[in-house]
Amino acid sequence: MKKVKTCIFPVAGLGSRFLPATKSIPKEMLVVVDKPLIQYAVEEAKAAGIERFIFVTSQGKSAIEDHFDSSPTLETILKKRGKDQELQALEGLRLEPGQAIYIRQHAPLGLGHAVLCAEALVNEEAFAVILADDLVLSREPCLKQMLNAYQKEQGNMVGVMDVPYDQTHRYGILKISKEEGQKVYADGVFEKPDIQKAPSRVAIIGRYVLKKEIFHHLHKQHPGAGGEIQLTDALQKMIPEKPLCGFRYSGQRFDCGTKEGWLEANIAFAASCPELRLNLKTVLGKYSF
Ligand code: G1P
């Protein structure tokens, strides 16, 4: 099995649920504790061995490019002031020329379309996709767990978790044919089904390892749920050719595309941070709910 070296980050979405906070900053730059969401996503990809980072952006997203670029003025000031730790943090953040590629999705035509925009830049047999607003707190980074498990797979793999039936309309939902430990195999997958039509409560989170053939199906894909070109629909079309495997990762996922999920992520990440843990307990103790 060849190594998965490329990861696509679809970051063109409007972030309208977080307006006005996201009026002039990308939703992927929303901070959880001390880092923007997109930095968590890139760090997760790096930890999984990813070497090429493709960001599918849109207008108003230049803060993401700046975040992973060098910042000579800031770095000079930090150096002069002897702020070595801060300087190191900035250096670790930088993506080298050629490692980071930014391309535009010219119209909000859906996740499937966003992934298709990167087609010409994917050279290998398989590539990863991370949706930055799905943040996963885990001992071993989620994508790394998936790429380890992917070694024995021939088809597409998606990160999955169980959701309550009344939430299936928010996710891609798998129709399960077989379960093997952390792996669940699907003979169908449906984008945002109503509770009555949901074939299970096994939901896709924003982690994918996809075979290059997915592009072929995305090209032919008509608009689906919400009038958008859905990645889920292309996954469904590919099932007769290649197995679709859902991977039950170990960890806790937060939907940082919603205020509730983002707030909980802040609490969970602060609680997992030794310097903040005690203070967080004291602060939360001040409020009665
Ligand atoms: C997208 C996918 C959906 C998946 C979800 C995970 O939906 O289309 O299949 O379950 O991400 O967060 P979105 O949340 O972008 O509407």
Side-chain angles (χ1 to χ4, degrees):
M1 173 77 64
K2 286 198 183 129
K3 196 170 172 273
V4 175
K5 291 186 196 153
T6 299
C7 185
I8 298 175
F9 302 86
V11 291
L14 279 178
S16 48
R17 285 206 203 110
F18 269 97
L19 283 170
T22 49
K23 183 168 179 251
S24 62
I25 60 157
K27 66 171 175 160
E28 297 77 13
M29 289 299 290
L30 287 175
V31 169
V32 169
V33 182
D34 58 355
K35 285 188 284 194
L37 289 170
I38 191 66
Q39 187 177 336
Y40 285 100
V42 165
E43 285 176 356
E44 182 181 325
K46 275 188 183 172
I50 295 295
E51 294 167 13
R52 292 177 86 225
F53 305 80
I54 302 173
F55 300 85
V56 183
T57 74
S58 60
Q59 241 170 29
K61 299 279 181 167
S62 55
I64 295 176
E65 288 186 49
D66 291 342
H67 191 70
F68 294 107
D69 198 358
S70 62
S71 177
T73 316
L74 181 59
E75 284 163 29
T76 311
I77 295 171
L78 290 177
K79 220 174 268 173
K80 267 193 199 152
R81 295 185 182 167
K83 303 252 181 202
D84 296 338
Q85 223 176 325
E86 289 81 353
L87 205 56
Q88 243 175 11
L90 290 191
E91 277 164 7
L93 184 60
R94 196 165 49 223
L95 292 173
E96 299 305 328
Q99 252 198 323
I101 302 159
Y102 300 88
I103 52 164
R104 287 275 177 115
Q105 182 183 22
H106 297 292
L109 299 178
L111 177 59
H113 179 261
V115 170
L116 186 56
C117 289
E119 181 182 15
L121 300 163
V122 175
N123 306 320
E124 301 91 23
E125 277 303 294
F127 61 96
V129 177
I130 292 185
L131 308 186
D133 49 16
D134 275 341
L135 183 57
V136 180
L137 179 62
S138 55
R139 199 165 292 171
E140 187 179 21
C142 184
L143 187 64
K144 191 173 182 196
Q145 296 178 39
M146 284 176 68
L147 290 183
N148 285 340
Y150 189 70
Q151 291 306 314
K152 289 190 191 130
E153 291 302 317
Q154 303 296 320
N156 295 312
M157 178 178 267
V158 290
V160 295
M161 66 174 193
D162 288 336
V163 297
Y165 268 108
D166 65 1
Q167 284 183 27
T168 54
H169 66 281
R170 291 173 46 192
Y171 299 92
I173 300 289
L174 267 51
K175 180 167 177 282
I176 306 298
S177 57
K178 194 170 59 162
E179 302 230 13
E180 271 173 24
Q182 281 179 285
K183 290 179 179 174
V184 290
Y185 291 90
D187 54 8
V189 61
F190 305 94
E191 181 67 8
K192 303 194 171 78
D194 290 340
I195 185 165
Q196 298 87 353
K197 290 195 182 139
S200 78
R201 53 191 200 97
V202 180
I204 301 178
I205 67 149
R207 300 291 181 280
Y208 304 80
V209 186
L210 302 174
K211 298 289 284 186
K212 215 178 167 184
E213 288 96 312
I214 196 81
F215 292 124
H216 169 72
H217 294 277
L218 284 170
H219 273 293
K220 294 192 293 183
Q221 204 52 62
H222 295 296
E228 296 186 337
I229 311 277
Q230 296 292 352
L231 182 55
T232 303
D233 295 341
L235 288 170
Q236 162 72 26
K237 292 270 164 57
M238 239 178 109
I239 289 176
E241 298 162 26
K242 304 261 180 198
L244 173 62
C245 174
F247 181 74
R248 292 186 191 275
Y249 57 91
S250 309
Q252 196 182 354
R253 170 262 190 188
F254 302 92
D255 180 0
C256 292
T258 67
K259 286 177 197 168
E260 298 78 9
W262 173 80
L263 263 176
E264 193 182 345
N266 273 284
I267 294 169
F269 275 72
S272 73
C273 170
E275 300 106 76
L276 295 174
R277 204 185 160 80
L278 260 183
N279 190 252
L280 176 74
K281 206 173 165 196
T282 316
V283 168
L284 289 180
K286 283 194 209 164
Y287 300 89
S288 52
F289 298 101

